[in-house]
Amino acid sequence: MTAPVEIAHGKLRALHRFWESLRPAPDLLPGRQHFNAEDIWPWIGHIGMVDVERGGRPGVPFRFRIRLQGEHLARLTGNGRPSLYLDETLRTKYRDLILAQHSEAAATGMPVYRIQIDEAKSWKRIDRLVLPFASDGHNVDLLMTGLYMAVTPSRPCAPEGQ
């Protein structure tokens, strides 16, 4: 069993519980073979999956090939084309942070949850959960990311009709 992960976002908490329920044994990670596509329907559009490749380049222990990119993820990251590498397609200022979170989950086999507040837009909050999967139960070969963005502008809205 993994260490408890405190997840603030309700839908991501539910995704984490789903992931935990897939584990074939407490000391094994679930694999892609442990769920069907329809099982992830509650999060569709807000999840992505990447294949984990090891030792692709010197100094880069992992590369992540996009397998599935939900519509909301694609809109936020600026891409959505399967078969490309994540490091080649991310066009956000948080590219290195996103890759580090994926690398952490791939290296440790532990879920990684982060809340990200945009420094320039403090009203923009992103909750991201990266979940490791391993077809053999041990070596992470797939990551599933759940991502939800909340926008709460700090300035009051004008009354209706203005």
Side-chain angles (χ1 to χ4, degrees):
M1 181 128 173
T2 60
V5 176
E6 291 192 33
I7 300 172
H9 195 282
K11 290 183 180 180
L12 292 178
R13 259 194 322 273
L15 181 60
H16 183 263
R17 282 192 304 269
F18 168 73
W19 175 81
E20 283 283 359
S21 76
L22 296 174
R23 296 175 78 118
D27 60 336
L28 296 176
L29 291 171
R32 174 61 188 90
Q33 70 273 20
H34 294 115
F35 70 94
N36 296 313
E38 57 269 13
D39 295 337
I40 59 174
W41 184 254
W43 305 280
I44 210 72
H46 292 273
I47 60 168
M49 289 192 281
V50 295
D51 292 316
V52 176
E53 296 180 7
R54 287 176 164 66
R57 297 186 302 197
V60 180
F62 303 105
R63 289 199 76 199
F64 308 103
R65 186 180 294 275
I66 298 169
R67 178 187 280 205
L68 168 78
Q69 189 88 329
E71 179 184 344
H72 298 287
L73 254 71
R75 200 174 320 134
L76 284 172
T77 61
N79 72 71
R81 295 174 37 205
S83 80
L84 295 176
Y85 286 101
L86 196 56
D87 61 279
E88 296 171 337
T89 61
L90 284 173
R91 292 187 299 250
T92 72
K93 64 181 177 180
Y94 297 106
R95 177 186 181 276
D96 292 341
L97 176 67
I98 292 166
L99 292 174
Q101 291 169 354
H102 281 71
S103 293
E104 180 181 344
T108 65
M110 302 285 286
V112 175
Y113 174 69
R114 299 286 187 274
I115 297 171
Q116 188 175 317
I117 306 291
D118 191 312
E119 297 137 5
K121 301 171 187 164
S122 60
W123 46 266
K124 182 178 172 185
R125 169 186 163 142
I126 296 174
D127 288 67
R128 180 183 296 109
L129 174 65
V130 183
L131 298 168
F133 287 80
S135 54
D136 66 0
H138 300 285
N139 298 298
V140 176
D141 53 14
L142 176 79
L143 297 173
M144 179 187 289
T145 299
L147 185 141
Y148 287 85
M149 183 173 76
V151 177
T152 53
S154 57
R155 58 191 147 138
C157 296
E160 275 190 18
Q162 290 188 2

